[in-house]
């Protein structure tokens, strides 16, 4: 298995989709387990820790400055993460997961959708930005994506999240983009919307 420190919690409900939980800067493999259980009770949870350190804080890829990504590293790290998910699926016997990413974790999830569409069944992108200025032509074939942005987010400009929504839609994803009266941090509205969205995706799959 591509080496990521990670947590895995098996499903407790057969019908719930597995979740790939991807933390923000400075988080770890424990950070989003509670969120995963809130938005999809019963799902298998796969939660890796980012392998890049920025001033001692784990991240999923390097950045050159706030909002300026090392895009070669984004590509390399997204492919590493894709290999990890593929290996973990075999080891733990789970289906392709829905990524649930916050901030840096949402950005690597968006990159993974564009670079290796088959790895994920869909994604919940919380405060995500466009990860690649020149993304490959991806074919997302109707994959469901929920993009939740903060109206007062000091890190992600509204124009950037709108561009990400358009980029994923053009690649064939079924994008539901909502702008919440929030900043960069998550709110109760994020939890409620994500839970309802995963419930609707689950119902369609059934």
């Amino acid at each position: 298995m591509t080496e990521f420190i990670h947590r895995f919690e098996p499903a407790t409900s057969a019908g719930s989709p597995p979740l790939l939980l991807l933390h923000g800067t400075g988080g770890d493999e424990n950070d989003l387990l509670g969120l995963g259980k809130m938005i999809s009770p019963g799902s298998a949870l796969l939660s890796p820790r980012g392998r890049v350190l920025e001033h001692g804080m784990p991240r999923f890829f390097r950045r050159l400055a706030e909002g300026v990504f090392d895009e070669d590293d984004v590509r390399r790290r997204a492919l590493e993460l894709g290999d990890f998910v593929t290996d973990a699926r075999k080891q733990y016997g789970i289906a392709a997961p829905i990524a649930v990413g916050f901030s840096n974790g949402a950005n690597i999830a968006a990159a993974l959708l564009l670079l290796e569409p088959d790895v994920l069944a869909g994604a919940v992108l919380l405060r995500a930005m466009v990860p690649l200025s020149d993304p490959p032509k991806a074919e997302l074939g109707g994959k469901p994506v929920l993009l939740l942005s903060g109206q007062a987010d000091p890190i992600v400009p509204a124009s950037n999240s709108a561009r990400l929504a358009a980029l994923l839609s053009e690649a064939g994803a079924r994008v539901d983009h909502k702008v919440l009266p929030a900043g960069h941090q998550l709110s109760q509205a994020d939890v409620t919307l994500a839970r309802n969205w995963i419930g609707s995706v689950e119902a369609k799959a059934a």
Side-chain angles (χ1 to χ4, degrees):
M1 182 184 286
T2 309
E3 285 304 318
F4 276 79
I5 294 168
H6 68 281
R7 292 273 306 268
F8 176 73
E9 298 205 357
T12 56
S13 164
S16 302
L19 303 184
L20 172 67
L21 303 172
L22 301 168
H23 63 77
T25 301
D28 65 20
E29 66 279 10
N30 302 302
D31 257 35
L32 297 185
L33 292 173
L35 177 67
K37 289 171 184 169
M38 277 193 279
I39 64 176
S40 189
S43 283
L45 304 175
L46 178 63
S47 185
R49 182 192 301 181
R51 298 173 66 183
V52 173
L53 287 180
E54 182 184 272
H55 308 303
M57 297 186 295
R59 282 175 56 83
F60 285 98
F61 58 82
R62 292 194 326 122
R63 61 182 167 185
L64 308 175
E66 185 81 70
V68 184
F69 303 154
D70 178 338
E71 296 199 12
D72 288 340
D73 198 55
V74 173
R75 290 171 187 271
R76 186 161 66 87
R77 301 292 179 176
L79 297 178
E80 278 182 1
L81 182 61
D83 288 346
F84 164 74
V85 173
T86 301
D87 291 344
R89 284 187 58 193
K90 290 178 194 150
Q91 180 175 342
Y92 298 122
I94 56 173
I98 292 174
V100 178
F102 168 62
S103 193
N104 178 245
N107 298 337
I108 197 74
L112 192 53
L113 278 172
L114 293 166
L115 292 164
E116 290 210 308
D118 292 344
V119 170
L120 299 175
V124 177
L125 305 176
L126 305 164
R127 312 298 185 267
M129 297 178 73
V130 175
L132 297 164
S133 55
D134 184 22
K137 287 278 176 247
E139 180 41 70
L140 292 175
K143 281 188 198 293
V145 175
L146 176 64
L147 177 59
L148 297 179
S149 307
Q151 196 173 20
D153 192 330
I155 296 171
V156 185
S159 58
N160 191 295
S161 50
R163 198 160 85 247
L164 177 59
L167 180 67
L168 293 171
S169 295
E170 284 157 17
R174 283 201 326 271
V175 179
D176 187 358
H177 182 202
K178 290 189 163 46
V179 181
L180 307 179
H184 196 67
Q185 292 309 309
L186 299 183
S187 66
Q188 184 56 46
D190 290 282
V191 175
T192 303
L193 287 165
R195 186 171 58 230
N196 292 343
W197 181 86
I198 286 178
S200 72
V201 167
E202 211 175 312
K204 284 193 184 98

